[in-house]
Amino acid sequence: ARPVVNEAGVSYGDESRARAMVLKRSASSDLDAPFPLSTNLTRTNVAGVGTLLFFRFQLALIVWVATLLVAWMLLAYGVSTDLLILGNRSA
């Protein structure tokens, strides 16, 4: 490890990082813990309404792309599988 040149700066940075952490409030104890990795960020308000809306938008995009992919596959297999190689062959 490198030697510490600015001890006050390091301690200030550590305190700022500790204050910026998003923690789950626990009613049973005074110690707050980080949210588990399995937290559903589209349903749980972790860091404000903006974050909640951002993750809901991301989910909507994923669902939209998956729907388009399934529709294209159904069309391709229903009409002709040659639709799956469009753009992969030279003219």
Side-chain angles (χ1 to χ4, degrees):
R2 295 173 27 186
V4 176
V5 178
N6 184 1
E7 185 65 39
V10 171
S11 63
Y12 177 76
D14 286 340
E15 292 168 7
S16 297
R17 182 178 62 174
R19 283 193 310 269
M21 288 180 65
V22 179
L23 300 174
K24 186 176 186 179
R25 303 277 182 204
S26 62
S28 61
S29 68
D30 292 337
L31 296 175
D32 296 334
F35 281 89
L37 290 177
S38 61
T39 302
N40 184 356
L41 295 175
T42 62
R43 301 277 181 244
T44 307
N45 188 353
V46 171
V49 178
T51 305
L52 189 70
L53 291 173
F54 173 74
F55 282 104
R56 285 184 182 177
F57 178 72
Q58 293 292 314
L59 178 66
L61 283 179
I62 291 170
V63 169
W64 177 248
V65 169
T67 303
L68 289 179
L69 179 65
V70 169
W72 177 254
M73 289 299 185
L74 289 174
L75 178 74
Y77 285 115
V79 174
S80 172
T81 55
D82 291 338
L83 290 173
L84 297 175
I85 61 170
L86 283 177
N88 290 333
R89 305 288 189 258
S90 60

